[in-house]
Amino acid sequence: MSNKLATITGVQGYVPEDILTNKDLEKMVDTNDEWIQSRTGIKERRILKGEGLAASDMGVEMVKGLLEKTNTKPEEVEMLLCATITGDMIFPDTANTICDKAGIKNAFGYDINAACSGFLYALTTGAKFIETGTYKKVIIIGLDFMSSILDYTDRTTCIIFGDGGGAVMLEPREDGTGVQDQVLKADGSGREFLHMKAGGSLRPPTAETVANNEHYVYQEGRTVFKHAVKSMASTVMEVMKRNNLTNDDIDWLVPHQANIRIIKSVASVCDFPMEKVVVNIEKYGNTTAGTLPLCLWDWEPRLKKGDKLLLTAFGGGFTWGTIYLVWGYDTPS
Ligand code: COA
């Protein structure tokens, strides 16, 4: 049996230029900066603006940057997975649109719809194609264009989410770095608490669904909050236990950026000091499938080859899980 693992050999994030601050939101809904910061930790988020722009346009920026950074020609890429719930169209998938726009001609790919856990699901799937020796260059993207599905008259949801994400290159390595293990879970009965009511085959779009605001994110925040803390913490502890890891062994806990109170609760339940917890929610809000690669991109200069990371997320579905990986490179300063 080979000891080939799928190692992240580069990461490239992308966020749109336009910034939506809490002060801006004060002018749109009945809210205030103090409430948003104290309840969520968010100060601002990025919004994709521009006629005809879609999720794939953010994906192309990520992929082009990633190819340049990793010295990869587009034709060398063999597989591209895109975790998103805000693809350009219901079909075809955005992964293939991104390949087309980025000049990636020799790859196949598809989208993965697992909401905020999408990057974990996609990274795990891509890693298997590397571990088995099937492919040598796989791109995993996590991104969302949340402002396209937000009701900017609903203060309980529009303050939370933003646009953006990131892409990573996966390549085989035999030096002990790479994806080591994962615990991924799902419970479809959670769908009632976080979903979009219409637009799918259950409720195809009609004038009525549009008039009833059914094409936006619907969420029961408190229920999602409780499940998020419990589920992320339990899979973090399960992964650590089965890999004989103590908290001292872990260099960075990288949690989905949903709410700073969720992040702090997970850290506290799992007994991690906040110095080891990656947090950038104040800048970008919750970018759904985009938060984990955006965290890796922001932290890349601080990550060292051999660092042990736990990536954890929870989202609509419900879906959740934790991946344990060993970082593969030092970033030249
Ligand atoms: N500004 C001001 N007040 C607001 C508000 C806003 N933007 N949004 C809600 N409120 C009000 C509510 O109406 C409620 O008022 P009431 O007590 O008079 O009824 C009060 O604030 C408390 O609401 P509640 O929903 O209990 O607040 P909360 O502390 O649970 O925070 C969320 C709300 C949404 C921030 C929080 O539940 C959360 O983050 N949940 C998880 C969401 C998430 O991460 N989802 C993504 C998938 S992981």
Side-chain angles (χ1 to χ4, degrees), residues 30-31 35 39-40 116 155-156 159-161 194 219 221-222 224-225 256 258-259 261-262 286 314:
D30 180 15
T31 190
W35 193 96
R39 295 296 182 112
T40 70
C116 302
R155 68 177 182 173
T156 68
I159 56 140
I160 296 173
F161 297 96
L194 183 52
Q219 162 168 266
R222 277 188 208 184
V224 174
F225 191 112
H256 169 51
N259 180 317
R261 292 185 294 140
I262 294 178
N286 181 348
F314 177 88

